Amino acid sequence: MRSYSLIAPAKINLYLEIIGNRPDGYHELAMILQSIDLADQIDLHAASTEAIRVYCHHPQVPTDNSNLAYRAAALMAKQFPDAFSNFGGIDITVRKNIPVAAGLAGGSTNAAAVLVGIDLMWNLGLTQSELEELGAQLGSDVPFCIAGGTVIATGRGEKLSPLPSLDHIYIVLAKYRSLEVSTAWAYKTYRQVFGSTYMTNTEDLAARASAVHSAEIVKAIVNKDAVKIANKMHNDLEKVVLPSYSQVLQLRELFASQEGVLGTMMSGSGPSVFAIVESKAQAEIVKQKIREAIPDEDLELFVTQTIGNGIQILN
Ligand code: C5P
């Protein structure tokens, strides 16, 4: 087929623990990543010229080669030059619903959709692990975004072990449109402040195993116990982002004080904050209450839910 449309869901971090420094400058992580039904749509069309073009109406999304969706297509063109010259260029249209620069893997999930879509368009027949390997070259969250669901992610975030899927846990999500937190800044600051207190030698497997504290939340996920999951959420990056970004801290505190909220956490390196809420009806009430407390148009609010999948082919 000469065109495909794909649904690219966002993710939240139910858990993010920084285990240690890595020699490559990244951080060794233990994360639990969760897909949610807030999603972008990616339309791919075969073009007549040998060019990759990105179209997006969102003012904060670049359409040049800094866009991760563009880089995903360029990577496929480089890996499969024969297919690229046979099938010609690609027009990529990004229909954005996921807040940008939010800690929700918006760019990563767009890149994942481009990999999956081009694999289909060029009849490459790549396996999921081959797609994940290509994804890891683009960013730490891209491999997860391909299959999605509920997953333990280790290493840089690219080593994945699936957990039983968690459906219909309701979430209220908040992000200030104009507020951005650099992921690189958050990790660098964490290393500066806390680097001496954790492992510098991540090759030490025994020490690494004893450093990971995610066992209780994993058990809660297996038991599908939303109350326990909400109680055991954790994000080390909050320790550097909350003191520096008062709006994120304010959202965290506001969510925590709402009736029906089981737990609240910043996602990834922020600045989006989410709350797990006991029902869909309660989630709508919490969203309304947050809107009344912060009538600022700059604040985006969503009611969403956990889903058990990543990239989906729409048509
Ligand atoms: O992999 P990705 O490009 O999404 O990461 C963005 C930035 O976040 C990296 O440049 C790095 O500074 C930081 N990072 C890290 N350790 C990880 C993942 C990301 O330090 N495991």
Side-chain angles (χ1 to χ4, degrees), residues 25-27 29 139-140 155-156 183-184 187:
Y26 281 76
H27 294 79
L29 304 176
S140 308
R156 268 197 305 138
T183 304
Y187 279 104

Side-chain angles (χ1 to χ4, degrees), residues 190-191 193-199:
Y190 190 92
R191 186 184 286 219
V193 180
F194 300 102
S196 60
T197 65
Y198 61 70
M199 281 193 302

Side-chain angles (χ1 to χ4, degrees), residues 13 15-32 140-141 152-161 187-188 190-191 194-195 197-214 234-237 239:
N13 294 76
Y15 190 88
L16 191 162
E17 182 180 357
I18 301 175
I19 308 299
N21 297 338
R22 292 164 52 109
D24 60 7
Y26 281 76
H27 294 79
E28 192 72 20
L29 304 176
M31 296 192 286
I32 297 173
S140 308
D141 288 338
I152 299 176
T154 54
R156 268 197 305 138
E158 85 292 9
K159 291 185 192 152
L160 309 174
S161 318
Y187 279 104
K188 197 176 94 208
Y190 190 92
R191 186 184 286 219
F194 300 102
T197 65
Y198 61 70
M199 281 193 302
T200 47
N201 176 16
T202 53
E203 300 298 304
D204 183 346
L205 289 177
R208 194 154 92 188
S210 68
V212 176
H213 301 291
S214 57
H234 176 78
N235 184 346
D236 272 334
L237 291 175
K239 294 179 202 162

Side-chain angles (χ1 to χ4, degrees), residues 151-298:
V151 166
I152 299 176
T154 54
R156 268 197 305 138
E158 85 292 9
K159 291 185 192 152
L160 309 174
S161 318
L163 286 167
S165 96
L166 271 184
D167 293 339
H168 309 307
I169 288 190
Y170 290 95
I171 285 158
V172 183
L173 185 70
K175 192 224 167 215
Y176 283 97
R177 254 185 214 99
S178 59
L179 188 65
E180 292 186 14
V181 175
S182 151
T183 304
W185 169 86
Y187 279 104
K188 197 176 94 208
T189 309
Y190 190 92
R191 186 184 286 219
Q192 279 163 0
V193 180
F194 300 102
S196 60
T197 65
Y198 61 70
M199 281 193 302
T200 47
N201 176 16
T202 53
E203 300 298 304
D204 183 346
L205 289 177
R208 194 154 92 188
S210 68
V212 176
H213 301 291
S214 57
E216 289 196 71
I217 189 167
V218 169
K219 202 166 139 204
I221 289 168
V222 171
N223 293 334
K224 303 196 188 300
D225 181 343
V227 174
K228 203 75 173 276
I229 293 167
N231 259 311
K232 298 294 173 191
M233 292 194 297
H234 176 78
N235 184 346
D236 272 334
L237 291 175
E238 284 198 338
K239 294 179 202 162
V240 292
V241 177
L242 297 190
S244 300
Y245 292 87
S246 58
Q247 286 170 299
V248 182
L249 179 63
Q250 182 203 17
L251 279 175
R252 269 293 258 108
E253 287 174 347
L254 195 57
F255 269 133
S257 67
Q258 301 301 312
E259 205 176 311
V261 165
L262 303 175
T264 170
M265 193 58 42
M266 183 179 81
S267 184
S269 58
S272 60
V273 175
F274 67 90
I276 294 189
V277 183
E278 58 195 11
S279 68
K280 187 172 193 316
Q282 193 68 35
E284 293 294 347
I285 294 168
V286 169
K287 180 183 163 192
Q288 185 60 30
K289 287 266 163 64
I290 303 285
R291 177 55 74 210
E292 282 163 17
I294 309 177
D296 188 348
E297 278 290 300
D298 196 43

Side-chain angles (χ1 to χ4, degrees), residues 8 97 119 138 198:
N97 301 307
D119 173 49
L138 297 163
Y198 61 70

